[in-house]
Amino acid sequence: MINILAFLTAALWVVWVRRGSHHTLWLIPAALFAVMLATPPFWHAALAGYPKDSFWTLGPSGRAGVVAIATSGILAIFLMISAKTRALFSLGWPRMIALPIDIATGLLMFGAIYSLSPQAFYAFYQLIIPDLPAQWVIDTAFDTGRIRHIVHIGPDGSMSDHLAGIGFWAVWPFTFWLHFQPDARRG
């Protein structure tokens, strides 16, 4: 699980480092990095290279495709969260009301998109794995079991689980920092 003290320390460090930057895009890797720093199970598995992970059973082009889909998906999720936050700003709500609603909505958005993501990966696998049948691989639009699993970020998690969990937890600092951007139209 994520170490809360390490998470707060990492988040404060990232805020200090990015003091002069006003670009929302910078906040995406900063939020992801802050959560990575606060997640020892991720470091241990990453340093070991995830040797038993199914990612390594793919060829170089398969791995590149998976990385491209995952990176595009994370970027799209966080850009949608940013757009949602800007829309919420336009309502003029006080930050004490808007911020918790914004974070909760961002987590729900992440969960819904994450729940649907296996279909995108499966469609890609159909391109690279011969004779893979056409099928629907997701059970529900919001898979609470899968979400609970990735939120845990356990030591035995796969690379995919860890990175999804890091993305989920990064919604918190990302949304928080959006609310405290110098150009955020907040009172």
Side-chain angles (χ1 to χ4, degrees), residues 122 126 132-136:
Y122 189 79
Q126 284 182 291
L132 202 57
Q135 64 183 2
W136 193 250

Side-chain angles (χ1 to χ4, degrees), residues 130-144:
D131 302 323
L132 202 57
Q135 64 183 2
W136 193 250
V137 296
I138 57 175
D139 295 327
T140 179
F142 199 84
D143 190 341
T144 55

Side-chain angles (χ1 to χ4, degrees), residues 63-115:
R63 289 193 298 260
V66 166
V67 168
I69 292 168
T71 302
S72 299
I74 286 289
L75 182 60
I77 290 170
F78 280 89
L79 290 176
M80 285 188 281
I81 289 171
S82 179
K84 175 219 12 108
T85 298
R86 285 192 308 278
L88 192 58
F89 285 168
S90 71
L91 298 176
W93 292 351
R95 187 176 286 138
M96 284 179 39
I97 294 170
L99 183 59
I101 291 170
D102 199 11
I103 290 172
T105 307
L107 292 171
L108 288 172
M109 287 172 65
F110 187 96
I113 296 167
Y114 173 72
S115 295

